[in-house]
Amino acid sequence: MTQKLAVIAIGGNSLIKDKKHQSVEDQYEAAYETSGHIAKMIQDGWNVAIAHGNGPQVGFILRRSELASHELHEVPLDVCGADSQGAIGYALQQSLQNHLRDMGIDRPVATVVTQTEVSADDPAFKNPSKPIGSFMDEDDAMRRIEVDGWDCNEDAGRGWRRVVASPLPMRIVEEPSVRALIAAGHIVITVGGGGIPVVADENGHLRGIAAVIDKDFASSLLATRLGADTFIISTAVEKVALNFGKPEQRWLDKVTLAEAKQYLAEGTHFAKGSMAPKIQAVINFLEAGGQHAIVTDPASIPQALAGKTGTHFMRD
């Protein structure tokens, strides 16, 4: 494979522009827009593997399942993840296929429903903290805890919510398939939502579990395993900033691995629920041998690859 390979992680929220535009049609339009920027990369000669988030979409699936529970069985969380991988992958692959066709580029695009193995002994399982699904009153939460074995927490006076663990990804089960497709010239959409979390028993048999894997961590692992030349995290801002939103805010153009670790350790620059995991994912990639990572917004990806914008993280 002579082309440079980029692994791109796009957020599930990037498929929803605002609360007034959450329908399937709205999400497809957003996917089409994002795919257009990725198509320009491919036109410029890049090979691409695309990862994506699924937080809002899994929430929608869970809510539908809860509302229909008086008539139909509820859908387990791992199956919700699989459902979202298929639906989001469909929107992204069809959008990208159409862009490439318009550009006169003959490249196949495929979505791989991907499992990500985690350790059953991961410490996160002892302290589940990732909220999912709808708000409940206390009585319903107590019933879910007793009958279904859920973990539920009260959420800042807004009601009760189910919480699950967010373990670290250990292995991308379908990595050999992804690698073979890329080597054959395919654009691959994979590790959707961080991958469907699975654990292995003593015989190596896999089973799905109720957990949520951070999509940036899974994407970082994918980029490492594939030996990507560049790891791109596509988010809501064109560049990363220190002291974001404060009077002393400062945009970052180039950051070394040592600087990234220092900024993250200081604990004041990056929000835990948004930018901090992205910076940690970049650090993981660089520490594992990666040379170059970029954080930018979807529209800026082509310019960022040309060195004209985005925040660039370098190993040295």
Side-chain angles (χ1 to χ4, degrees):
M1 186 171 60
T2 57
Q3 291 177 307
K4 285 187 176 182
L5 173 65
V7 170
I8 305 172
I10 59 177
N13 282 307
S14 68
L15 302 176
I16 298 175
K17 295 184 178 180
D18 55 61
K19 290 185 178 181
K20 295 182 179 179
H21 297 87
Q22 296 184 340
S23 71
V24 172
E25 292 78 13
D26 291 328
Q27 291 186 58
Y28 185 92
E29 288 185 15
Y32 186 83
E33 183 177 323
T34 297
S35 297
H37 305 307
I38 297 173
K40 291 177 183 177
M41 281 183 62
I42 298 166
Q43 188 178 42
D44 290 339
W46 283 87
N47 221 350
V48 177
I50 304 167
H52 62 81
N54 67 350
Q57 292 79 13
V58 164
F60 297 157
I61 295 169
L62 283 169
R63 181 60 177 159
R64 292 189 192 100
S65 176
E66 291 165 2
L67 290 172
S69 62
H70 64 287
E71 288 191 22
L72 296 170
H73 59 275
E74 294 191 52
V75 183
L77 183 58
D78 58 321
V79 179
C80 292
D83 288 350
S84 71
Q85 281 193 11
I88 296 172
Y90 161 63
L92 288 170
Q93 74 184 29
Q94 187 180 86
S95 296
L96 195 51
Q97 286 164 342
N98 289 337
H99 280 297
L100 294 176
R101 186 175 294 108
D102 290 343
M103 292 174 171
I105 299 173
D106 183 17
R107 292 287 297 277
V109 186
T111 297
V112 176
V113 176
T114 311
Q115 303 168 93
T116 301
E117 184 179 352
V118 301
S119 171
D121 297 324
D122 191 296
F125 287 111
K126 296 181 179 179
N127 184 32
S129 59
K130 185 74 173 179
I132 62 168
S134 306
F135 285 97
M136 301 171 277
D137 60 30
E138 185 173 1
D139 289 343
D140 197 17
M142 294 303 106
R143 181 183 63 81
R144 288 291 197 173
I145 292 171
E146 182 177 349
V147 175
D148 299 319
W150 287 8
D151 292 290
C152 297
N153 287 343
E154 201 278 330
D155 189 340
R158 296 185 296 173
W160 289 72
R161 291 186 76 184
R162 183 185 183 187
V163 291
V164 297
S166 184
L168 293 174
M170 294 171 46
R171 178 174 73 101
I172 298 166
V173 177
E174 284 72 28
E175 178 195 325
S177 299
V178 172
R179 187 184 297 275
L181 286 167
I182 291 171
H186 291 63
I187 307 302
V188 184
I189 300 159
T190 181
V191 293
I196 304 162
V198 297
V199 294
D201 64 16
E202 62 276 7
N203 297 313
H205 296 167
L206 301 175
R207 63 176 177 86
I209 54 168
V212 173
I213 299 173
D214 186 285
K215 74 99 173 43
D216 293 315
F217 290 171
S219 302
S220 176
L221 176 60
L222 176 70
T224 298
R225 293 293 305 164
L226 295 179
D229 298 280
T230 299
F231 173 40
I232 303 172
I233 295 181
S234 176
T235 186
V237 292
E238 186 175 338
K239 296 181 181 181
V240 175
L242 298 181
N243 301 304
F244 183 74
K246 301 176 183 178
E248 61 272 28
Q249 174 178 305
R250 176 165 66 91
W251 297 108
L252 299 174
D253 295 316
K254 294 183 179 180
V255 183
T256 66
L257 172 58
E259 289 171 336
K261 294 170 71 173
Q262 175 189 333
Y263 295 149
L264 186 62
E266 288 173 359
T268 59
H269 301 297
F270 311 124
K272 290 184 178 181
S274 57
M275 190 56 73
K278 294 172 174 41
I279 302 303
Q280 184 62 62
V282 165
I283 290 171
N284 293 348
F285 173 67
L286 297 177
E287 286 189 326
Q291 297 296 319
H292 181 214
I294 301 172
V295 178
T296 193
D297 61 352
S300 301
I301 288 174
Q303 283 191 314
L305 283 167
K308 297 178 181 180
T309 190
T311 299
H312 295 253
F313 296 81
M314 312 300 292
R315 181 175 172 81
D316 302 316

